[in-house]
Amino acid sequence: MAAYDKRRAAAPAPVPVPAAGNGLGSEAEFLLRAGVTAMVREALLKVLEARPEEPVSFLADYFERLVLVSPAAAGEAAAELPGLPQRLARALWYVRLAHHSHRTAFDSNAGAAYEVLGAGGRRRAAGVDGRLYSELLRRICQHGAAPAEAAAALLRRVRCRDHEAVPFDVFRYGVLTCCVLLEFAAKADALFGVLGGGSGAADGRLCQAVLRALEEALRGGQGSLPGRYLEAGSKLGPDGLALAMDRALQERKLGTAMSREEFLRKATALFVAKVKPVE
């Protein structure tokens, strides 16, 4: 033990090796001067602001997009998506951060998307015009189970002319309506999965009975907010559905099969018909 202590005392002390090319005196100074501290602080603030359902996935996506907005990556994105403004991709990311039921976070993210999308450049004045607004809504509707016909019909109701300036309340209404359509379509798809037993077709009598019950539920929705209609559809009682389907099965008419695509198209058409057009 004594010999080990002597050898340890005689060994030269390790010489601190400075980081290559920076000469920083401490780890904290390195993080500060490299911008990492501010970057992490901003990321945490974004988590608190957006309140995403999966914070870890949110942070991973956030830092990935920080890399994507570098000059080199921006050039690659422009080559892959010709004519698409970088701020459009950023705005789309903002509106998909939080679920629309988290109203405070959703409104905050919609405001951030509005500011990003309306940022002026060298060749255009600041503000969101109808062209970018409509393009954003179209891209929102692409991510989900909503049929293309329903998405197109919805966009016709909430769109603005390309040259028009879009105020924030109209912008938020259009974004919210598209998000609710996607969730409505997902719920209708899950409902068809029950009717069809996991197959691609279901008894047409059952599908028509469910669609009629869904239409009655939507008809009873109060107000013109899209979320109200989604809530009305969610309150469709299982007893009422069971009774409607039982009556449909008791009919003597020979039932024909209905495909998943047809059911989704008819269900989402009921929702779109309830959406208040933008004036």
Side-chain angles (χ1 to χ4, degrees):
M1 188 67 175
Y4 171 78
D5 292 338
K6 288 181 180 179
R7 289 195 302 271
R8 185 177 181 183
V15 179
V17 180
N22 54 35
L24 298 179
S26 66
E27 293 84 352
E29 185 181 357
F30 168 74
L31 295 176
L32 184 63
R33 296 179 63 178
V36 176
T37 302
M39 186 187 308
V40 173
R41 183 186 297 114
E42 182 180 0
L44 295 178
L45 290 176
K46 289 296 183 182
V47 172
L48 295 176
E49 180 183 3
R51 303 295 175 93
E53 297 178 353
E54 299 181 1
V56 176
S57 299
F58 168 83
L59 286 173
D61 194 21
Y62 175 81
F63 286 116
E64 180 180 359
R65 289 183 179 275
L66 283 183
V67 176
L68 290 178
V69 297
S70 65
E76 295 175 1
E80 181 181 355
L81 301 172
L84 177 65
Q86 188 68 22
R87 58 183 176 278
L88 184 60
R90 188 77 173 171
L92 180 62
W93 178 68
Y94 271 116
V95 299
R96 295 174 61 190
L97 285 179
H99 192 268
H100 60 82
S101 62
H102 302 159
R103 183 169 180 177
T104 301
F106 182 84
D107 288 351
S108 177
N109 293 334
Y114 185 80
E115 292 180 1
V116 169
L117 200 61
R122 295 180 179 179
R123 299 182 180 179
R124 66 185 300 273
V128 177
D129 57 29
R131 180 180 61 86
L132 288 180
Y133 163 72
S134 299
E135 178 65 17
L136 177 65
L137 298 188
R138 188 183 67 82
R139 291 182 174 273
I140 293 175
C141 292
Q142 286 180 340
H143 299 274
E149 298 90 338
L154 178 64
L155 293 180
R156 286 194 295 269
R157 284 181 169 264
V158 299
R159 70 181 178 182
C160 297
R161 296 185 178 89
D162 288 352
H163 64 276
E164 286 183 325
V166 181
F168 176 71
D169 57 341
V170 173
F171 178 86
R172 180 191 177 279
Y173 176 76
V175 169
L176 174 62
T177 305
C178 290
C179 292
V180 174
L181 171 65
L182 296 184
E183 184 170 354
F184 188 90
K187 291 182 180 296
D189 185 64
L191 183 57
F192 182 86
V194 176
L195 296 175
S199 64
D203 191 306
R205 295 171 298 174
L206 296 179
C207 292
Q208 291 293 352
V210 171
L211 289 172
R212 287 194 297 267
L214 181 59
E215 184 177 12
E216 289 295 328
L218 291 175
R219 188 178 301 169
Q222 300 296 324
S224 59
L225 296 178
R228 299 286 178 85
Y229 298 121
L230 183 64
E231 182 180 355
S234 299
K235 289 182 177 179
L236 198 60
D239 295 339
L241 274 180
L243 181 60
M245 290 188 292
D246 184 63
R247 289 176 178 174
L249 290 176
Q250 290 178 3
E251 295 180 0
R252 296 184 178 181
K253 297 179 181 179
L254 183 61
T256 58
M258 181 178 292
S259 66
R260 179 184 299 270
E261 292 75 15
E262 182 181 0
F263 182 82
L264 287 180
R265 186 172 63 252
K266 291 184 176 182
T268 50
L270 294 175
F271 170 80
V272 173
K274 287 293 184 178
V275 173
K276 181 180 179 180
V278 172
E279 298 178 356

